[in-house]
């Protein structure tokens, strides 16, 4: 949990520092965040994996399954290519995060976005920010209540509602990465360096409503539909695979030796 908290704090700072920048700050430096963020993200991801393995007692099969799910997520992403918000990757990430838990879920989301960027040629300064955002989506699914007890339609509706919310928030958070570059435009939705945080956030919300909501809402609807339609089969398969991979290995106690 300490590694997750640290990487999340770094991510929040990377996304949000322009809001606190002065009017004479070099916002072009925001474009140079990506290499440093990526360099910080990789060892933290490894640390999360190591910590989860030591806490839960996972084996090589669990790591292999993580790789398979990341590859599946990366393969799903180009199917819609983000057209009109059609991104089937999200429903798999939400369901997988629910089963794997917050630690492995965060790693899965980040690695899936990294793999999909390599697959589609989408490598750029936005990539580590996408990795963080998708990691948060999966981590949030792993933190939902009732992981051990909630099943059936109630769980599906919970995951569908979370998937819809996460789909919109993902687009909103990613907007925050590129929006400060609009500071030079004379519009009512542009970022104003040095202005009050509240005023900038108001313009940011107007920017999201005017630009990305048309993509975020279809993504949310598709995530809900796929979660409800395919959720029972996918959750059953994931839970069966995690049991075999020792994600849910029971704790055993040995008698003390004489």
């Amino acid at each position: 949990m300490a590694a997750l908290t640290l990487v999340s704090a770094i991510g929040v700072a990377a996304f949000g520092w322009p809001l606190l920048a002065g009017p004479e700050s070099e916002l072009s430096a925001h474009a140079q965040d990506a290499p440093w963020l990526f360099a910080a993200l990789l060892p933290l991801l490894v640390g999360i994996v190591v910590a989860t393995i030591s806490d839960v007692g996972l084996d090589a099969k669990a790591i292999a399954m993580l790789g398979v799910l990341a590859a599946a997520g990366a393969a799903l992403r180009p199917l819609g290519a983000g057209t009109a918000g059609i991104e089937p990757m999200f429903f798999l990430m939400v369901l997988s995060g629910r089963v794997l838990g917050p630690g492995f879920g965060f790693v899965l989301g980040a690695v899936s976005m990294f793999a999909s960027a390599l697959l589609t040629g989408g490598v750029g300064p936005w990539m580590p920010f996408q990795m963080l955002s998708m990691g948060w989506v999966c981590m949030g699914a792993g933190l939902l209540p009732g992981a051990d007890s909630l099943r059936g339609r109630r769980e599906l509706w919970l995951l569908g509602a979370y998937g819809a919310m996460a789909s919109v928030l993902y687009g909103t958070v990613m907007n925050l990465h590129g929006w400060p570059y609009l500071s030079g435009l004379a519009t009512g939705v542009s970022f104003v360096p040095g202005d009050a945080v509240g005023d900038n956030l108001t313009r940011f919300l107007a920017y999201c409503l005017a630009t990305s909501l048309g993509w975020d809402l279809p993504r949310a609807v598709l995530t809900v539909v796929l979660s409800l339609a395919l959720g029972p089969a996918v959750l059953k398969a994931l839970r069966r695979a995690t049991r075999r991979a020792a994600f849910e290995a029971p704790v055993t106690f040995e008698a003390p030796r004489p």
Side-chain angles (χ1 to χ4, degrees), residues 8-230:
S8 295
I10 293 174
V12 170
F15 274 105
W17 75 260
L19 292 174
L20 304 177
E24 298 179 356
S25 63
E26 290 291 337
L27 284 179
S28 60
H30 196 37
Q32 308 302 320
D33 290 352
W36 298 105
L37 180 59
F38 187 68
L41 189 58
L42 287 182
L44 287 173
L45 288 177
V46 174
I48 293 171
V49 172
V50 172
T52 305
I53 289 174
S54 62
D55 289 344
V56 184
L58 308 183
D59 57 13
K61 291 183 292 184
I63 306 300
M65 195 183 76
L66 183 68
V68 170
L69 288 174
L76 282 175
R77 193 179 180 205
L79 294 183
T83 304
I86 306 302
E87 296 185 76
M89 174 187 189
F90 274 75
F91 102 95
L92 179 62
M93 295 294 100
V94 170
L95 298 184
S96 299
R98 169 68 166 179
V99 175
L100 298 180
F104 257 71
F106 183 91
V107 175
L108 172 63
V111 172
S112 297
M113 292 303 290
F114 177 71
S116 68
L118 297 180
L119 183 63
T120 61
V123 177
W126 53 85
M127 185 184 70
F129 293 91
Q130 289 177 329
M131 292 171 63
L132 273 170
S133 298
M134 186 58 74
W136 285 332
V137 168
C138 295
M139 181 180 72
L143 292 172
L144 290 174
D148 297 325
S149 58
L150 189 63
R151 295 291 184 270
R153 301 301 296 178
R154 292 174 59 195
E155 182 182 35
L156 291 179
W157 281 110
L158 173 66
L159 293 175
Y162 171 79
M165 180 185 66
S167 297
V168 174
L169 289 178
Y170 173 88
T172 303
V173 171
M174 283 306 302
N175 284 341
L176 190 58
H177 164 59
W179 174 65
Y181 295 119
L182 298 176
S183 59
L185 301 179
T187 69
V189 297
S190 299
F191 175 67
V192 179
D195 206 356
V197 174
D199 294 338
N200 267 326
L201 287 178
T202 299
R203 285 187 286 269
F204 174 66
L205 291 177
Y207 169 78
C208 292
L209 291 173
T211 59
S212 70
L213 198 61
W215 278 263
D216 296 338
L217 290 181
R219 182 195 300 129
V221 171
L222 180 65
T223 301
V224 172
V225 171
L226 292 179
S227 297
L228 295 178
L230 304 178

